[in-house]
Amino acid sequence: MASESLAGRLSLGGEISVHRLGFGAMRITGDGVWGPPKDRNRALAVLRRAVELGVDFIDTADSYGPNVSEELIAEALFPYGKDLVIATKGGWNRPGPNQWTHDATPPHLRRAVEGSLKRLRLDRIDLYQLHIPDPVVPLEVSLETLAEMQAEGKIRLIGLSNVTQEHIERARKIAPIVSVQNRYSFADREWDYVVDYCERNGIAFIPWFPLGAGKVAGEVLDRIAKAHQSAPNQIALAWLLQRSPRMLPIPGTSSAQHLEQNMAASSLRLTKKEFEELFSVPRLVASR
């Protein structure tokens, strides 16, 4: 099996170097990202297998479960290897299955950071991300709170999630921003301009939902996958890795077999024609 380290490395803020294919820990929770997983031992085994395969960047959030994902990470991997980076997020609540509510007020963010530190058994969170801007709280107020906790030594680096370029530019006036996490895939490129902005400014772009596809997208993906004797999800991940050197995909799964398949995507190299064909998919969909 190919090591995921073949994807190369990426610097976060010039301080932390990680492999460019990480693991997203949302799917190790229960259905609807709510409650514990049906098989706790299986979830713990997936986390341990990810690290065995060379993953050194795990992304989670306090709202996954809620709290469950962070607790499982600590149970499976603590004490952590010296190179393992655990990124988490706060500012979005999980009141029930498939439900989300905003709260990026300073008191909530302080409680969220403290809670994540306790659950993850950390003295400092390497990368803490604002999960989403709160429509009733000025972005600057939320970022000032995170910057204060950074100054207190509880957060090392700050990132954003679900944001526009305007949000990023406003946030950078408050504190250095090292990463942005938005929905993105070869077939869903609403945030292309944010990817380009991040690349120009040395900011990591962390795509979530990296396998978004419809009928037309699926047809193109399947054909290219067959040419490489690979799975469609591997081609989708290979495309992301070639899209930008600042791309840091975090495919998530609750299956060790699927995890191994995802990690093997780092050994794939698409031809220029294949890459551009996948790049054109959104235009093909729009034309039908």
Side-chain angles (χ1 to χ4, degrees):
M1 180 184 302
S3 166
E4 64 83 39
S5 64
L6 292 176
R9 301 189 70 82
L10 176 69
S11 172
L12 297 173
E15 293 191 30
I16 301 174
S17 175
V18 296
H19 292 142
R20 215 159 57 88
L21 196 53
F23 178 76
M26 184 177 77
R27 296 182 183 275
I28 60 172
T29 62
D31 291 341
V33 198
W34 180 257
K38 292 178 181 178
D39 188 335
R40 190 178 190 89
N41 288 333
R42 184 185 184 193
L44 296 172
V46 167
L47 286 163
R48 292 173 181 138
R49 183 60 178 146
V51 172
E52 289 173 357
L53 290 170
V55 169
D56 59 5
F57 182 85
I58 296 177
D59 179 83
T60 185
D62 63 357
S63 56
Y64 297 165
N67 304 336
V68 173
S69 178
E70 292 181 331
E71 291 168 350
L72 288 170
I73 289 168
E75 182 178 344
L77 302 174
F78 187 86
Y80 306 116
K82 65 181 179 65
D83 296 325
L84 181 63
V85 175
I86 299 173
T88 192
K89 300 181 284 293
W92 222 356
N93 289 322
R94 194 71 166 164
N98 296 311
Q99 298 176 36
W100 304 95
T101 58
H102 293 275
D103 192 347
T105 60
H108 175 81
L109 287 175
R110 282 197 163 272
R111 289 193 301 271
V113 171
E114 296 289 358
S116 291
L117 285 167
K118 183 176 181 181
R119 285 184 294 274
L120 291 168
R121 306 180 202 175
L122 292 169
D123 296 321
R124 180 178 67 173
I125 296 167
D126 278 328
L127 175 59
Y128 195 85
Q129 304 154 94
L130 180 67
H131 207 150
I132 190 169
D134 190 324
V136 299
V137 179
L139 180 68
E140 288 78 5
V141 172
S142 300
L143 263 293
E144 285 167 1
T145 302
L146 297 185
E148 289 168 3
M149 301 197 80
Q150 185 179 42
E152 294 165 12
K154 295 176 179 179
I155 295 171
R156 184 173 182 181
L157 301 170
I158 297 174
L160 301 172
S161 183
N162 301 300
V163 290
T164 65
Q165 181 176 322
E166 182 203 14
H167 288 134
I168 304 168
E169 291 172 341
R170 287 165 58 192
R172 293 178 74 195
K173 294 177 182 177
I174 307 297
I177 301 299
V178 306
S179 67
V180 169
Q181 184 171 160
N182 279 12
R183 187 191 71 247
Y184 189 78
S185 72
F186 77 94
D188 178 4
R189 300 213 314 280
E190 177 183 357
W191 302 112
D192 256 338
Y193 77 101
V194 173
V195 175
D196 294 337
Y197 175 87
C198 287
E199 184 171 335
R200 289 194 305 270
N201 290 278
I203 298 170
F205 186 89
I206 306 172
W208 60 266
F209 197 44
L211 303 178
K215 185 172 184 287
V216 174
E219 290 172 357
V220 177
L221 195 63
D222 287 344
R223 177 165 45 79
I224 295 175
K226 287 178 182 176
H228 285 265
Q229 297 182 315
S230 300
N233 62 298
Q234 292 175 312
I235 299 299
L237 290 170
W239 184 90
L240 285 170
L241 291 168
Q242 287 177 229
R243 169 64 178 84
S244 169
R246 301 302 300 172
M247 193 74 71
L248 175 54
I250 49 166
T253 179
S254 59
S255 159
Q257 182 179 2
H258 192 197
L259 168 72
E260 292 174 1
Q261 187 181 73
N262 286 339
M263 293 303 106
S266 65
S267 65
L268 291 173
R269 185 74 186 176
L270 304 179
T271 66
K272 182 178 179 181
K273 181 180 178 181
E274 289 168 340
F275 177 86
E276 291 177 349
E277 192 172 4
L278 287 167
F279 196 88
S280 70
V281 161
R283 291 194 295 276
L284 290 173
V285 173
S287 68
R288 291 201 174 184

